[in-house]
């Protein structure tokens, strides 16, 4: 990646140098203001139209919000470019050209698919396999690239930046900061609306949405397990064959599970399976990565990201448990396990329509578990689940039970009931998926086995004008925080643990913190960090 970036910037530098004849002159300050103006005006149509559709009709405040969004984007882009100029004046033009090219592609995805360019999405973009990538190669993408990318980059290349003293630029940068603070102060009445819609707006601000999240994603990928603090050595109280499957859901909210009292029958199969819905279960955060960090960590340490401990799968693996991680999603911390399989590998020898959906995670899983040489097997299945905005695309046709469904990725263009129908169908499919996991565990002969299903966070479906998730936790509605946490135990497991469904669900509330200690408990694994109070399978607690 750095190599190809370097080549691209060399090429851009050459391109910009090779057009001396057709050029304009501009001072560094003018160039920076022009590039910032182009950025704010050209690449934020989805952001402005989001604002227009989420404002309560035409009003002065609404107008002020729109102008503030424009001004804030303009000012912060200018400020970043001023800082870049101080670091290296020569880099400003190539970076602006790269920004135009990148923005044009990002704009295509945001405008066409209503994609939220968050870290998960950038993970998808950076790791998309060829077959997925070619499905995006629509002629319209090239049109966007040409009109919003190549053309502005070509025009920027024509501008010759005149030398300027750093002092002069610093004065302009300082004035920009003052102007920014002044505007923010004067537009105080817009703050509430902007912070309320911040999670949706953030994914549409160019180029920061895609640049910052791509960097974040890469940094997380590069940060290897060696930086994680190892957890204390553990011992096992038994060596009996035990299989535990942890299914990590995506954007599933408790509200729409009939096991949690939803009026619609969205869990017909789970209801018959003897699965237990742990009451009052709350997520640690409203976005995937932080929730996974929390779920796989022994402590509810929100700063786990800056000072991570060894996550659960690596801890179990290091203690001789056979750990299998299968994923159709992103956002997990770096882990070291015996087998780590992504969607595309699982798809290779998968047959049938289910291979396009979460069922691909079950391909060959029973054989894999049965052939394990180890006594204890831990499987994590990280679902695609109810990933928005295209809920309708996350389940096979036969699960389109609640109709009509919203088939637009522009969620606010759908009738609310159509959106909820599509979402409920994903829950119905998850119900089926979990029933298959239960059947798989139930079929293992004489094996204590358990399933834990926990969603990473909930989802907003238009309540209070919010969609998707990622609203700051302190102000996020319950829809984004209340999650399904479902447990199923085989008869052998219940006998071995001397527990019952009632004992497992005796607590008044649950959180993702219970996962780590309950998995340790299921394997009779004990160490200094094990907290019996958080272990739902611990019979001694009652
Ligand atoms: Zn998520």
């Amino acid at each position: 990646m750095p190599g190809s970036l370097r080549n691209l910037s060399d090429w851009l530098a050459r391109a910009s140098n090779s057009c001396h004849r057709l050029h304009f002159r501009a001072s560094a300050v003018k160039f920076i203001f022009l590039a910032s103006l182009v950025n704010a005006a050209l690449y934020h149509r989805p952001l402005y139209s989001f604002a227009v559709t989420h404002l309560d009709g035409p009003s002065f405040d609404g107008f002020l919000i729109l102008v503030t969004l424009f001004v804030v984007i303009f000012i912060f882009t200018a400020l970043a470019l001023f800082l870049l100029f101080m670091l290296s004046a020569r880099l400003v033009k190539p970076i602006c050209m790269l920004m135009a090219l990148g923005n044009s592609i990002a704009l295509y995805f945001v405008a066409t698919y209503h994609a939220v360019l968050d870290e998960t999405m950038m993970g998808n973009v950076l790791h998309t396999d060829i077959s997925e990538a070619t499905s995006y190669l629509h002629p319209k993408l090239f049109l966007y690239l040409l009109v919003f990318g190549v053309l502005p980059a070509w025009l920027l290349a024509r501008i010759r930046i005149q030398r300027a003293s750093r002092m002069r630029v610093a004065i302009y940068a300082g004035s920009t900061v003052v102007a920014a603070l002044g505007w923010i102060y004067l537009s105080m009445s817009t703050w509430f609306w902007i912070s309320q819609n911040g999670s949706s707006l953030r994914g549409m601000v160019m180029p920061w949405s895609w640049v910052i999240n791509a960097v974040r994603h890469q940094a997380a990928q590069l940060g290897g397990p060696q930086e994680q603090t190892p957890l204390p050595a553990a011992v096992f109280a038994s060596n009996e064959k035990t299989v535990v499957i942890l299914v990590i859901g995506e954007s599933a909210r408790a509200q729409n599970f009939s096991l949690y009292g939803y009026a619609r029958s969205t869990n017909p199969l789970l209801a018959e399976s003897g699965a237990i819905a742990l009451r009052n279960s709350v997520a640690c955060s409203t976005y995937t990565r932080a929730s996974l960090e929390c779920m796989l960590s022994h402590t509810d340490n929100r700063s786990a990201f800056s000072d991570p401990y060894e996550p659960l799968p690596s801890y179990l693996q290091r203690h001789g448990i056979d750990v299998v991680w299968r994923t159709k999603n992103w956002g997990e911390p770096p882990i070291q396990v015996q087998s780590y399989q992504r969607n595309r590998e699982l798809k290779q020898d998968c047959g049938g329509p289910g291979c396009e959906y979460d069922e691909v995670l079950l391909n060959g899983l029973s054989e894999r578990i049965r052939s394990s040489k180890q006594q204890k097997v831990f499987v994590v299945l990280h679902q695609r689940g109810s990933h928005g905005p295209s809920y309708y695309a996350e389940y096979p046709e036969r699960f389109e039970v609640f109709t009509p469904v919203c088939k637009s990725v522009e969620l606010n263009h759908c009738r609310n009931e159509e959106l909820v129908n599509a979402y409920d169908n994903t829950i119905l499919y998850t119900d089926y998926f979990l029933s298959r996991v239960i059947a798989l565990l139930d079929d293992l002969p004489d094996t204590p086995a358990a399933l834990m299903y926990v969603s990473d966070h909930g989802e907003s479906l238009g309540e209070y004008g919010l969609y998707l998730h990622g609203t700051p936790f302190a102000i996020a509605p319950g829809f984004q925080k209340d999650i399904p946490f479902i447990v199923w135990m085989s008869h052998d497991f219940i006998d071995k643990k001397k527990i019952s469904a009632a004992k497992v669900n005796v607590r008044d509330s649950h959180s993702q913190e219970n996962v780590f200690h309950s998995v340790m408990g299921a394997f009779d694994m004990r160490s200094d960090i094990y907290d019996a109070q958080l272990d739902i399978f611990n019979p001694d607690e009652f």
Side-chain angles (χ1 to χ4, degrees):
M1 192 68 188
S4 55
L5 251 182
R6 214 175 302 125
N7 290 342
L8 189 58
S9 75
D10 284 351
W11 178 82
L12 286 167
R14 275 205 305 279
S16 64
N17 288 333
S18 67
C19 44
H20 284 290
R21 259 178 261 165
L22 254 172
H23 65 244
F24 316 94
R25 282 172 190 277
S27 69
V29 172
K30 270 189 195 154
F31 181 88
I32 286 172
F33 279 143
L34 177 73
S36 309
L37 196 67
V38 167
N39 185 51
L42 212 53
Y43 304 107
H44 293 87
R45 189 170 54 84
L47 184 136
Y48 301 134
S49 68
F50 172 89
V52 168
T53 46
H54 287 79
L55 289 167
D56 301 328
S59 67
F60 178 72
D61 269 357
F63 177 72
L64 193 61
I65 287 171
L66 276 175
V67 177
T68 300
L69 288 171
F70 185 91
V71 170
V72 167
I73 292 167
F74 170 76
I75 285 179
F76 280 93
T77 310
L79 205 55
L81 291 176
F82 279 131
L83 290 177
L84 179 67
F85 185 89
M86 309 280 209
L87 289 172
S88 163
R90 297 177 64 183
L91 272 181
V92 172
K93 191 157 64 168
I95 293 277
C96 286
M97 291 165 70
L98 273 177
M99 200 164 88
L101 294 174
N103 277 355
S104 68
I105 298 170
L107 179 65
Y108 167 78
F109 282 98
V110 174
T112 312
Y113 297 98
H114 220 256
V116 178
L117 298 175
D118 59 7
E119 200 185 334
T120 313
M121 179 58 73
M122 290 318 295
N124 283 326
V125 172
L126 294 171
H127 294 265
T128 301
D129 59 37
I130 301 297
S131 68
E132 274 179 70
T134 48
S135 70
Y136 289 116
L137 292 181
H138 190 273
K140 208 168 138 196
L141 173 60
F142 296 103
L143 197 68
Y144 267 76
L145 187 61
L146 199 68
V147 175
F148 295 106
V150 176
L151 192 62
W154 181 78
L155 287 171
L156 288 175
R158 293 291 176 275
I159 300 174
R160 221 186 208 183
I161 304 178
Q162 289 165 328
R163 281 171 189 240
S165 74
R166 286 206 156 82
M167 181 55 87
R168 188 177 139 84
V169 172
I171 290 170
Y172 272 96
S175 318
T176 312
V177 172
V178 173
L181 293 175
W183 186 278
I184 290 172
Y185 178 74
L186 289 174
S187 59
M188 214 185 290
S189 63
T190 65
W191 295 358
F192 182 70
W193 188 93
I194 291 176
S195 73
Q196 213 186 9
N197 292 281
S199 59
S200 308
L201 296 172
R202 265 201 309 274
M204 292 184 258
V205 178
M206 313 279 181
W208 316 113
S209 54
W210 58 271
V211 171
I212 290 173
N213 287 313
V215 169
R216 259 196 203 163
H217 176 83
Q218 284 306 104
Q221 292 290 305
L222 292 174
Q226 67 278 7
E227 288 169 28
Q228 295 165 340
T229 313
L231 296 175
V235 293
F236 293 95
S238 79
N239 192 30
E240 208 173 335
K241 184 95 191 175
T242 309
V243 177
V244 176
I245 297 186
L246 168 66
V247 176
I248 301 177
E250 173 61 60
S251 304
R253 65 186 208 182
Q255 157 94 12
N256 292 48
F257 277 61
S258 41
L259 287 183
Y260 283 92
Y262 191 42
R264 268 183 175 173
S265 174
T266 49
N267 306 132
L269 301 170
L270 280 173
E272 283 177 13
S273 69
I276 310 148
L278 301 184
R279 68 183 76 147
N280 302 321
S281 300
V282 182
C284 290
S285 89
T286 60
Y287 60 102
T288 311
R289 175 178 295 282
S291 287
L292 259 73
E293 292 272 355
C294 177
M295 200 187 291
L296 301 175
S297 167
H298 70 284
T299 156
D300 177 24
N301 182 359
R302 297 283 169 83
S303 66
F305 188 54
S306 52
D307 181 22
Y309 287 98
E310 183 177 29
L312 179 66
S314 311
Y315 190 41
L316 300 184
Q317 178 73 48
R318 194 161 61 80
H319 285 84
I321 294 176
D322 181 8
V323 181
V324 177
W325 186 291
R326 294 180 157 204
T327 178
K328 204 174 154 44
N329 207 326
W330 294 102
E332 55 238 28
I335 46 172
Q336 274 189 327
V337 298
Q338 194 135 327
S339 82
Y340 181 94
Q341 293 166 297
R342 296 208 55 84
N343 180 33
R344 59 173 157 253
E345 293 154 56
L346 295 166
K347 246 164 112 171
Q348 273 165 11
D349 57 347
C350 183
C355 301
E356 295 302 318
Y357 304 95
D358 276 338
E359 284 164 82
V360 73
L361 297 169
L362 306 177
N363 182 29
L365 183 61
S366 179
E367 296 74 21
R368 172 66 181 80
I369 292 171
R370 285 164 194 252
S371 65
S372 176
K373 302 267 189 302
Q374 276 116 306
Q375 284 295 86
K376 295 170 197 280
V377 182
F378 179 56
V379 179
V380 182
L381 305 176
H382 190 191
Q383 266 189 304
R384 177 85 181 162
S386 308
H387 199 295
S390 322
Y391 305 117
Y392 68 91
E394 303 301 343
Y395 52 82
E397 214 179 330
R398 67 192 172 100
F399 289 90
E400 196 154 292
V401 171
F402 305 111
T403 53
V405 302
C406 161
K407 297 235 163 157
S408 167
V409 288
E410 297 195 44
L411 301 182
N412 51 331
H413 290 178
C414 292
R415 294 212 339 261
N416 191 258
E417 63 176 89
E418 294 179 353
L419 182 66
V420 174
N421 284 342
Y423 183 82
D424 285 346
N425 290 331
T426 66
I427 305 296
L428 199 62
Y429 181 53
T430 288
D431 174 72
Y432 168 75
F433 177 79
L434 294 175
S435 78
R436 279 197 55 190
V437 177
I438 290 172
L440 182 156
L441 291 174
D442 211 13
D443 276 353
L444 298 172
D446 306 323
T447 307
L451 158 75
M452 295 170 83
Y453 162 73
V454 197
S455 182
D456 60 346
H457 48 74
E459 187 86 327
S460 278
L461 294 173
E463 300 88 3
Y464 316 113
L466 293 176
Y467 291 92
L468 305 168
H469 53 269
T471 305
F473 196 82
I475 58 163
F479 302 110
Q480 292 188 28
K481 297 192 277 198
D482 297 331
I483 47 163
F485 190 159
I486 292 168
V487 174
W488 176 90
M489 301 173 288
S490 72
H491 292 299
D492 290 310
F493 190 89
I494 291 171
D495 291 348
K496 177 194 157 197
K497 289 281 174 189
K498 300 184 180 59
I499 47 174
S500 63
K503 278 184 175 178
V504 165
N505 203 6
V506 77
R507 290 165 182 78
D508 289 330
S509 63
H510 300 85
S511 79
Q512 290 169 336
E513 263 188 289
N514 290 104
V515 172
F516 192 103
H517 302 275
S518 303
V519 171
M520 276 187 83
F523 288 120
D524 292 324
M525 186 176 175
R526 296 289 181 270
S527 75
D528 290 347
I529 49 129
Y530 168 73
D531 185 344
Q533 292 194 352
L534 293 173
D535 174 5
I536 57 166
F537 300 124
N538 185 6
D540 303 336
E541 279 301 299
F542 313 106

